[in-house]
């Protein structure tokens, strides 16, 4: 069965005038973590084509999938242009001005991707620059405004942390909904699932190598043909590859 589509395929992360290339790289990694492939940059305050900035973006993206998100990121000269094909736009801010009603809570972000709400458009999650956040003129272009609750001792969150939090809430809620209505289709693998698979593979290889060492001892005693046959059996049962055991018994 084919794998399911990215869980946040209808979402777009929009970064307005980001200042630090490294923060854009970390935001792209958050996109990759939570299956959001659509990253839009509005007038970055650094030159992306410069070797230092490009290096910082990729270094902080770190992973291949995140670098792919960076490479596919779209560039825009205005927020209005970045939102052109979006039916919903959520602006994130912590400032409570007179005209800033927080119309959606983080736990409600996933519901905004309902086709009945968005039609054929996308859901944009809009974040302002690191120093001063979204301006009132930016928020006026958004259909919703959201505040991420934080401690009064340290109210502001970093740009990458804000992106991670918002995408994580969307991913968690949509994944829960997907599991509740799963009708036997291909199951979505999460990070923990992949970690367990890799752990099981390593345990299997380690067990096979240990078995190969025992076989090597028998081979030295004259039973090389029998040991080789048993090594092949170990490999066929997935406890180690034939090449791995062959290196041990040779």
């Amino acid at each position: 069965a084919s794998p399911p589509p990215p869980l946040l395929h209808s979402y777009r992360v929009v970064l307005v005038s980001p200042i630090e290339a490294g923060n854009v790289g970390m935001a792209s990694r958050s996109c990759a973590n939570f299956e959001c492939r659509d990253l839009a940059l509005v007038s970055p305050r650094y030159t992306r084509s410069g070797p230092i900035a490009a290096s910082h973006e990729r270094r902080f993206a770190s992973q291949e999938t995140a670098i792919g998100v960076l490479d596919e990121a779209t560039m825009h000269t205005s927020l209005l242009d970045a939102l052109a094909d979006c039916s919903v736009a959520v602006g994130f801010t912590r400032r409570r001005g007179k005209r800033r009603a927080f119309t959606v809570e983080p736990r409600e972000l996933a519901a905004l991707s309902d086709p009945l709400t968005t039609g054929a458009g996308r859901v944009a999650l809009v974040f302002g620059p690191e120093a001063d956040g979204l301006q009132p003129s930016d928020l006026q272009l958004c259909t919703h405004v959201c505040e991420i609750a934080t401690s009064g001792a340290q109210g502001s969150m970093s740009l990458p942390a804000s992106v991670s939090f918002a995408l994580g809430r969307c991913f968690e809620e949509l994944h829960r909904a997907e599991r509740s209505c799963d009708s036997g289709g291909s199951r979505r693998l999460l990070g923990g699932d992949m970690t367990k698979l890799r752990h099981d593979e390593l345990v299997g290889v380690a067990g096979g190598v240990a078995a190969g060492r025992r076989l090597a001892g028998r081979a030295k005693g004259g039973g090389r043909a029998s040991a080789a046959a048993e090594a092949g059996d170990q490999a066929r049962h997935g406890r180690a590859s034939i090449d791995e055991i062959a290196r041990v018994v040779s």
Side-chain angles (χ1 to χ4, degrees):
S2 59
L7 197 53
L8 270 60
H9 66 276
S10 63
Y11 284 79
R12 170 178 300 158
V13 169
V14 181
L15 305 183
V16 179
S17 301
I19 299 170
E20 299 291 341
N23 284 338
V24 172
M26 285 188 279
S28 73
R29 181 162 181 173
S30 296
C31 290
N33 285 146
F34 299 112
E35 300 185 14
C36 176
R37 299 282 310 185
D38 192 347
L39 175 64
L41 306 179
V42 178
S43 301
R45 297 183 188 177
Y46 63 93
T47 304
R48 291 195 73 206
S49 59
I52 296 178
S55 174
H56 282 183
E57 280 188 351
R58 300 175 83 82
R59 184 195 312 166
F60 284 95
S62 179
Q63 302 292 334
E64 180 179 356
T65 306
I67 291 174
V69 172
L70 270 179
D71 292 341
E72 296 169 8
T74 56
M75 297 287 290
H76 305 270
T77 56
S78 70
L79 177 57
L80 186 63
D81 180 51
L83 301 179
D85 60 342
C86 297
S87 299
V88 174
V90 183
F92 288 82
T93 182
R94 70 182 181 88
R95 297 186 179 92
R96 297 185 177 183
K98 291 182 179 179
R99 299 183 181 181
R100 295 186 182 179
F102 297 105
T103 58
V104 64
E105 295 183 12
R107 60 182 174 83
E108 299 170 322
L109 292 172
L112 296 177
S113 65
D114 189 324
L116 295 177
T117 303
T118 63
R122 307 181 69 77
V123 178
L125 305 179
V126 186
F127 302 86
E130 297 90 324
D132 46 10
L134 293 173
Q135 299 302 305
S137 57
D138 299 322
L139 293 170
Q140 289 175 2
L141 297 177
C142 298
T143 59
H144 299 71
V145 180
C146 183
E147 176 187 21
I148 299 174
T150 56
S151 167
Q154 178 60 57
S156 63
M157 293 178 68
S158 69
L159 174 59
S162 300
V163 173
S164 293
F165 179 88
L167 291 177
R169 288 305 300 263
C170 294
F171 187 90
E172 182 180 23
E173 295 298 329
L174 289 174
H175 183 251
R176 181 181 293 112
E178 182 182 65
R179 284 186 303 175
S180 67
C181 64
D182 184 16
S183 59
S186 57
R187 190 171 75 86
R188 186 180 304 276
L189 291 177
L190 301 182
D193 298 319
M194 298 305 295
T195 300
K196 184 178 185 303
L197 286 173
R198 287 192 291 268
H199 174 266
D200 291 345
E201 290 173 359
L202 289 172
V203 169
V205 169
V209 170
R213 287 173 177 160
R214 292 194 296 272
L215 296 175
R218 297 181 201 170
K220 290 179 181 178
R224 183 173 296 276
S226 175
E230 191 169 346
D233 183 68
Q234 294 279 355
R236 281 192 297 273
H237 284 80
R239 289 187 285 272
S241 70
I242 291 177
D243 289 341
E244 288 164 4
I245 294 182
R247 284 197 299 271
V248 177
V249 301
S250 61

